[in-house]
Amino acid sequence: MRILILDDQAGLADTLALSLRVAGHSAFGFTRPAEVLAALQEDDILVTDYDMPEMTGLEVARRAYAQGWRGSLLLMSGRLPSFLEEMLRRFDDIKRGAVTTCSREEA
């Protein structure tokens, strides 16, 4: 199982991937949605920022599911949790109860 991190800020994606590798995980950072979609395997974990210039993290996840990916998704955002919850309600491929949000204070 691999962890693929997608963020338009290369420093953030690379730092998170490096931290996970130091902890013993197989992790890779990406800055372009097309690259992560091409690399994604069926059981990979996808960690993606929501707000990116080419497409949202939610759209990346939708495309990943459409191409057969069935791994776990962690969608992150600096936006308010209520905004994120509303976006996730629209994403019908995620089962009820499988999504949790937290504020920066809780993290």
Side-chain angles (χ1 to χ4, degrees):
M1 172 181 61
R2 304 176 310 162
I3 303 170
L4 280 57
I5 297 108
L6 174 61
D7 197 297
D8 58 311
Q9 297 178 26
L12 182 59
D14 292 340
T15 299
L16 184 52
L18 178 61
S19 297
L20 289 166
R21 284 194 300 272
V22 168
H25 300 283
S26 177
F28 306 90
F30 296 86
T31 57
R32 308 278 315 259
E35 293 171 347
V36 79
L37 287 168
L40 205 56
Q41 297 174 0
E42 186 174 323
D43 63 344
D44 285 339
I45 295 172
L46 175 59
V47 177
T48 181
D49 185 20
Y50 176 80
D51 193 20
M52 296 180 290
E54 291 182 43
M55 69 178 75
T56 67
L58 195 56
E59 181 60 29
V60 172
R62 281 190 181 117
R63 291 183 186 195
Y65 277 113
Q67 71 184 33
W69 172 71
R70 294 297 178 262
S72 297
L73 171 67
L74 173 66
L75 186 63
M76 58 185 175
S77 177
R79 295 181 181 259
L80 297 174
S82 59
F83 172 81
L84 189 55
E85 287 173 7
E86 178 59 30
M87 291 296 101
L88 290 173
R89 275 190 218 113
R90 297 179 189 175
F91 188 41
D92 56 29
D93 290 325
I94 297 177
K95 295 179 181 174
R96 290 182 186 264
V99 176
T100 303
T101 62
C102 67
S103 67
R104 287 183 182 170
E105 292 78 27
E106 295 172 309

